Amino acid sequence: MTVKPRILATRLFPNAVMERLSKTYDIVGTPTLAALSSVDILALSKQADAIFCDSTSRFDDEMITNLPKTVKMITTFSVGYDHLDVAAATHRGILLGNTPDVLTDATADIALLCMLGAARMAHSSAETLRNGAWESWAPTQFLGVHMSGKKLGILGMGRIGQAVARRARGFDMEIHYHNRRPVTARGLEEATYHGTLEELLPHCDFLSINCPLSDSTHHLINDTSIAMLPDGAVLVNTARGPIVEDAALIKALKTGKIASAGLDVFENEPKLNPNYLPLPNLFVLPHIGSATFETRDAMGFKCLDNLDAFFAGKNIPNPITL
Ligand code: DGY
């Protein structure tokens, strides 16, 4: 009888993914909808050869150092990997894998939803309706701004940034972007590259944040960078919350420096800064960028492909490297 590799799933993943996982592997413990705590992960991982986690489980230097020697691989159900200390894992010889590509379209769709939601005051108008407070159609009520013909600045022109740009072209937006280097890709033929964030910001009627979170992007959007935006800009973040300093955005939403914001991510998830709550010009979602049935299955299957390749002694399809 062949011994199946043992996988610690830090929580329940979609049914089709759990089914395939259980066919090939022994699942350690009994995963539930809630993610395991770090203490439980450390305890259970003594029985595991690999860990299947998501972005809500933090594997920092200390956590990785404390993992038992049995753990040879971690695959994360996410494209972002700011929750994993890649240097510490590399040092420990633990292989890391993630799930790029399959969530590009779903996340770009949510970026457009956030742009429209913010630009067209979707939150305050829908809330008024649901509260039974809408009395009549009125010519000056719930006014927002057009996306058509406006300049969209994209911070981070990776796969998701490019997909946002292609969608925004459908709204006749003029695309500007900042990225480490210029990008040649379908739909970007007429996009304008800016070599620095400071050069990009004055061109952003809309700013869409699509870069990864790292030490260099943490609080990149703060009082100083917000001041460089045109008055009345619209800010959208579907990447990672801590790229934007919440206190600075809240201040700018209150003064109108930023007319409205659409956030799918924010600092300290899942706890939304309470100072956001009274703001009518905030459209906010609970990190649902990849939340479609198709995408979540595909993310899980990518994790399984990483595990399958690893335990077959092959190169994994989506490694995370330094
Ligand atoms: C990702 O894949 O990075 C999503 O934001 C979910 O964590």
Side-chain angles (χ1 to χ4, degrees):
M1 201 182 75
T2 40
V3 180
K4 291 178 175 177
R6 303 161 304 167
I7 310 298
L8 174 61
T10 56
R11 68 194 316 163
L12 277 176
F13 292 97
N15 286 343
V17 176
M18 294 310 290
E19 256 170 48
R20 196 178 126 188
L21 183 69
S22 63
K23 276 194 191 129
T24 321
Y25 301 101
D26 274 339
I27 299 176
V28 175
T30 311
T32 62
L33 278 179
L36 290 171
S37 67
S38 299
V39 173
D40 289 339
I41 291 176
L42 284 177
L44 286 167
S45 57
K46 292 191 182 105
Q47 307 158 44
D49 300 304
I51 298 176
F52 184 160
C53 69
D54 66 18
S55 62
T56 64
S57 294
R58 178 151 294 282
F59 287 84
D60 57 13
D61 189 2
E62 189 188 348
M63 179 79 176
I64 296 224
T65 307
N66 288 332
L67 281 176
K69 295 258 177 309
T70 51
V71 175
K72 305 283 185 320
M73 185 193 172
I74 302 172
T75 187
T76 180
F77 185 85
S78 61
V79 63
Y81 52 83
D82 46 282
H83 56 298
L84 306 176
D85 188 323
V86 184
T90 308
H91 181 70
R92 271 285 314 267
I94 295 175
L95 193 62
L96 302 176
N98 70 338
T99 67
D101 297 319
V102 290
L103 41 67
T104 300
D105 286 332
T107 309
D109 289 349
I110 289 294
L112 269 288
L113 176 64
C114 286
M115 283 165 70
L116 277 168
R120 300 302 300 272
M121 305 303 279
H123 165 73
S124 54
S125 55
E127 192 183 46
T128 305
L129 177 62
R130 282 181 184 263
N131 289 343
W134 189 48
E135 287 171 358
S136 141
W137 187 92
T140 55
Q141 200 179 32
F142 306 137
L143 301 188
V145 292
H146 263 297
M147 282 170 52
S148 312
K150 297 284 168 60
K151 292 180 183 154
L152 167 64
I154 299 181
L155 174 58
M157 197 47 100
R159 301 175 191 84
I160 297 173
Q162 290 171 34
V164 170
R166 283 194 294 275
R167 284 158 173 73
R169 290 290 297 128
F171 284 81
D172 291 328
M173 297 186 91
E174 184 183 307
I175 310 298
H176 294 251
Y177 70 101
H178 169 59
N179 196 52
R180 267 178 300 181
R181 43 192 107 65
V183 174
T184 320
R186 180 173 62 86
L188 294 188
E189 296 80 5
E190 291 166 20
T192 306
Y193 175 68
H194 298 270
T196 63
L197 176 65
E198 290 71 21
E199 283 168 34
L200 171 74
L201 290 171
H203 298 279
C204 301
D205 297 323
F206 287 71
L207 172 65
S208 174
I209 298 165
N210 298 104
C211 59
L213 173 63
S214 65
D215 288 346
S216 60
T217 61
H218 184 265
H219 283 186
L220 196 55
I221 302 303
N222 52 31
D223 283 333
T224 312
S225 44
I226 287 175
M228 294 179 207
L229 287 165
D231 290 346
V234 175
L235 182 144
V236 167
N237 188 6
T238 52
R240 283 291 183 266
I243 298 169
V244 176
E245 190 179 358
D246 276 346
L249 176 57
I250 289 165
K251 204 191 311 168
L253 285 168
K254 281 184 179 162
T255 62
K257 169 69 191 176
I258 292 190
S260 56
L263 305 180
D264 184 41
V265 292
F266 44 86
E267 287 195 273
N268 303 316
E269 287 173 25
K271 295 211 182 317
L272 184 68
N273 184 321
N275 295 326
Y276 274 126
L277 292 177
L279 301 178
N281 47 353
L282 175 72
F283 178 80
V284 63
L285 297 170
H287 201 148
I288 59 165
S290 62
T292 67
F293 292 108
E294 298 91 331
T295 301
R296 291 282 166 88
D297 279 354
M299 290 166 72
F301 295 147
K302 280 231 164 192
C303 286
L304 289 163
D305 293 345
N306 284 337
L307 290 170
D308 292 352
F310 178 72
F311 287 108
K314 297 182 185 154
N315 289 333
I316 70 167
N318 295 110
I320 302 171
T321 50
L322 270 177

